[in-house]
Amino acid sequence: MKNFILSFFAISLLFSCKNEPNKLVKIEGKLLPITKETESVKEIEDYIAPFKKKVESEMSSVLSYTPVDLVRTDALNESSLGNLMADLCYERANPVFKSRTGKNIDFALFNFGGIRAGITKGNIKTENAFNLMPFENTLVVAELSSEKIVELCNFLIKANTAHPLSKQVKLVATKSGYTFTINNKKIDKTKTYFVLTSDYLQNGGDNMVFFKNPIKLHKLDYKVRNAIIDYLKETDTVKVKLDGRFIMK
């Protein structure tokens, strides 16, 4: 009996000492400021040196040339850089879209805030493309109803900003109304339209909610930045002008 009792207590003690799974109680963080007094670690610098050299070489590679400064503030409702961005994205994306659908994109629209840097006169480098578009946004084509196109026009007029529009369209707004043409044709209420934009804007970014819930969405799996780089690689000298594609009277 004594041995039985001792065995019982031993077994009970074994189960009572069974490890419980660890549970996370809290996470603490600490800000470590980097100042000029912070010393580098030679081993780390030596390790990243080859990668740094490769990146710097790629960023400094020349893609194209511009005879003038390209900025987003040439005029109130359009800009040289905005026109360039919208047109080059259309030019690069339309063959992809047509090969998949047999149809053409009607026009392109992006946002003023998406242009993050200008390009100064002279050689255009890969670094310029990354500064212009530092985000990982991709190109998409939203099929919109004529009603959504009207919403798009009203948005542009109310915003009164140089949002990048491609050359296929012309918007002229006055106090009494507006005219909007796509390839020199007015909006057809019986048609749908294929509009090129970024995935960010298509999700309603920058208050462009007319892009949400399209009739159909076509994802091109093509980054905006890559389209910029591909275009510049094939363009010896960038030529762009203000052509009145959006006028407020």
Side-chain angles (χ1 to χ4, degrees), residues 14-235:
L14 178 64
F15 279 98
S16 66
C17 294
K18 184 179 179 181
N19 292 330
E20 292 293 330
N22 294 327
K23 294 181 179 179
L24 180 65
V25 178
K26 65 178 180 178
I27 299 175
E28 293 184 348
K30 185 178 181 181
L31 180 64
L32 300 175
I34 298 176
T35 66
K36 60 183 180 180
E37 286 77 25
T38 304
E39 295 183 359
S40 61
V41 180
K42 186 178 184 304
E43 289 80 2
I44 297 177
E45 285 191 338
D46 291 343
Y47 179 78
I48 67 174
F51 303 100
K52 182 181 178 182
K53 185 177 180 180
K54 185 175 186 297
V55 170
E56 288 177 344
S57 176
E58 291 179 354
M59 289 295 105
S60 61
S61 62
V62 176
L63 302 174
S64 185
Y65 175 84
T66 173
V68 297
D69 291 340
L70 300 173
V71 297
R72 65 174 187 170
T73 54
D74 303 65
L76 180 61
N77 300 115
E78 66 174 324
S79 70
S80 57
L81 195 51
N83 288 0
L84 173 64
M85 183 174 173
D87 288 344
L88 75 83
C89 284
Y90 180 96
E91 183 175 321
R92 297 298 307 180
N94 194 55
V96 178
F97 182 72
K98 190 170 184 178
S99 68
R100 297 179 184 179
T101 66
K103 299 176 181 179
N104 288 310
I105 297 170
D106 288 294
F107 65 95
L109 170 63
F110 297 94
N111 62 321
F112 177 82
I115 300 176
R116 309 303 288 189
I119 301 176
T120 56
K121 176 183 176 180
N123 289 334
I124 303 176
K125 302 176 181 179
T126 302
E127 180 182 8
N128 295 119
F130 275 80
N131 291 336
L132 172 61
M133 176 49 64
F135 311 113
E136 299 300 308
N137 295 341
T138 60
L139 292 169
V140 298
V141 178
E143 184 178 359
L144 303 180
S145 65
S146 60
E147 289 80 10
K148 289 288 186 179
I149 298 298
V150 171
E151 288 183 30
L152 182 154
C153 292
N154 289 329
F155 169 85
L156 291 175
I157 293 169
K158 184 178 180 180
N160 195 20
T161 304
H163 290 302
L165 269 171
S166 63
K167 61 185 177 183
Q168 290 75 27
V169 301
K170 184 166 185 178
L171 173 60
V172 179
T174 65
K175 293 181 179 179
S176 59
Y178 70 88
T179 59
F180 184 73
T181 58
I182 305 171
N183 292 315
N184 298 315
K185 296 180 180 179
K186 293 183 178 180
I187 301 172
D188 186 340
K189 294 182 179 180
T190 66
K191 286 186 59 177
T192 60
Y193 294 89
F194 299 102
V195 185
L196 177 70
T197 190
S198 71
D199 56 343
Y200 167 73
L201 297 177
Q202 191 278 315
N203 283 312
D206 213 357
N207 295 317
M208 294 190 181
V209 294
F210 47 82
F211 276 130
K212 299 183 73 173
N213 302 314
I215 294 171
K216 189 172 183 180
L217 180 65
H218 301 266
K219 297 180 180 181
L220 302 185
D221 302 316
Y222 197 2
K223 290 183 180 180
V224 177
R225 186 195 309 120
N226 289 351
I228 295 170
I229 292 173
D230 291 343
Y231 173 84
L232 292 174
K233 282 182 178 179
E234 296 182 359
T235 305

